[in-house]
Amino acid sequence: MGHEYVPEIATSRDGKEYEVQGWQGDFYGGKLGFWLFMLTEVMMFGAMFLTLTYYFTLHHADFINASASLNRYLGGFNTVVLLISALTMGLGLLKMRSGDVKGAKLMIWATILLAIVFLGVKAVEWTAEYNHGVFLGLDALQSGNAHSKAFGEILFFGMYFTMTGLHGFHIIIGIGLMIWLIKRINANKVTPGHHILHWNIALYWDLVHLIWVFVFPYFYMIGAGDVTGGVTHGH
């Protein structure tokens, strides 16, 4: 099967066809535009991490106590899953650049599978937390009632569910982008000679896994000092 690039075609009102000169033919312009988008993502998550750090200094003991209740085994497992997925995504891009389109698609599918595993583990973790009464909207995370946690713990879990939820949303977007990428490859819209889309989606996935590399120690490891041979307070 050949992989000759098929350009985008636009049709005018009088039926004439024109080749679209878009981002697929502008490798450096496409990279620059996506880096600007990535900058907005870094600023958004960076602001959240700064907020988290600020409140950690104000409610040190509550944050450590709340962190100790998270399941570090599941969090650690998901960290490994995302690191491996970054590897498969990177290998897929290398295979595309070297002309191995079939191998590139195989690596993209492997990345999608690992992303689904990540979401599945996260769903199990959130379900366990909900069953323990720790979830947004439940009494434990509402101030002013008999079941309320300490104010610092409410802040911690509020940030935890917000940031891990937003990160999970980025994972879902990434899965959609990778499926779209495979469709574009199958249609010869992305080829070894025109792979800026593949490059940018691999860059997006790098950001997704990089954010988690910071999320894991911030939320799961600051309370690890309470562990003596396992998850002492984990669910």
Side-chain angles (χ1 to χ4, degrees):
M1 179 180 176
H3 296 285
E4 184 179 350
Y5 176 63
V6 178
E8 303 283 352
I9 300 296
T11 304
S12 65
R13 290 181 179 178
D14 55 3
K16 293 183 179 179
E17 294 185 342
Y18 300 91
E19 183 177 332
V20 177
Q21 299 297 323
W23 45 268
Q24 281 281 47
D26 184 2
F27 187 80
Y28 293 103
K31 281 178 65 178
L32 177 62
F34 202 77
W35 272 110
L36 291 175
F37 163 74
M38 297 281 280
L39 179 63
T40 65
E41 292 284 297
V42 169
M43 291 172 67
M44 179 180 67
F45 277 98
M48 290 183 178
F49 280 118
L50 285 175
T51 303
L52 185 66
T53 303
Y54 173 71
Y55 282 118
F56 178 57
T57 62
L58 297 181
H59 305 280
H60 188 80
D62 287 345
F63 269 47
I64 290 178
N65 190 45
S67 171
S69 70
L70 296 180
N71 192 320
R72 276 176 287 278
Y73 291 132
L74 292 182
F77 177 79
N78 260 351
T79 302
V80 174
V81 167
L82 269 192
L83 288 173
I84 295 173
S85 75
L87 174 64
T88 55
M89 195 64 185
L91 287 174
L93 180 59
L94 288 176
K95 287 182 178 296
M96 174 60 74
R97 297 181 66 184
S98 67
D100 182 4
V101 177
K102 184 178 179 181
K105 289 195 293 185
L106 184 63
M107 288 295 104
I108 296 169
W109 278 118
T111 308
I112 292 173
L113 178 62
L114 290 166
I116 292 172
V117 169
F118 178 93
L119 290 176
V121 171
K122 200 65 203 165
V124 169
E125 195 177 355
W126 273 24
T127 300
E129 285 151 1
Y130 179 85
N131 291 335
H132 282 79
V134 180
F135 203 80
L136 297 175
L138 298 184
D139 287 347
L141 299 188
Q142 301 286 328
S143 60
N145 65 73
H147 304 288
S148 296
K149 286 184 172 294
F151 183 67
E153 292 187 51
I154 293 175
L155 285 174
F156 176 90
F157 282 111
M159 293 293 294
Y160 164 76
F161 285 114
T162 299
M163 293 183 70
T164 57
L166 188 59
H167 180 266
F169 181 62
H170 279 70
I171 294 276
I172 293 171
I173 291 175
I175 292 173
L177 288 173
M178 286 185 275
I179 292 173
W180 179 51
L181 174 60
I182 289 174
K183 289 184 65 177
R184 302 278 298 182
I185 293 173
N186 288 338
N188 286 340
K189 301 290 186 185
V190 175
T191 66
H194 294 78
H195 59 272
I196 181 60
L197 182 65
H198 195 167
W199 184 293
N200 283 342
I201 292 176
L203 187 61
Y204 172 86
W205 197 251
D206 262 346
L207 177 70
V208 169
H209 105 269
L210 184 63
I211 290 170
W212 185 260
V213 166
F214 285 94
V215 165
F216 178 67
Y218 255 84
F219 285 106
Y220 290 84
M221 298 309 294
I222 60 174
D226 289 348
V227 176
T228 53
V231 184
T232 305
H233 304 292
H235 303 311

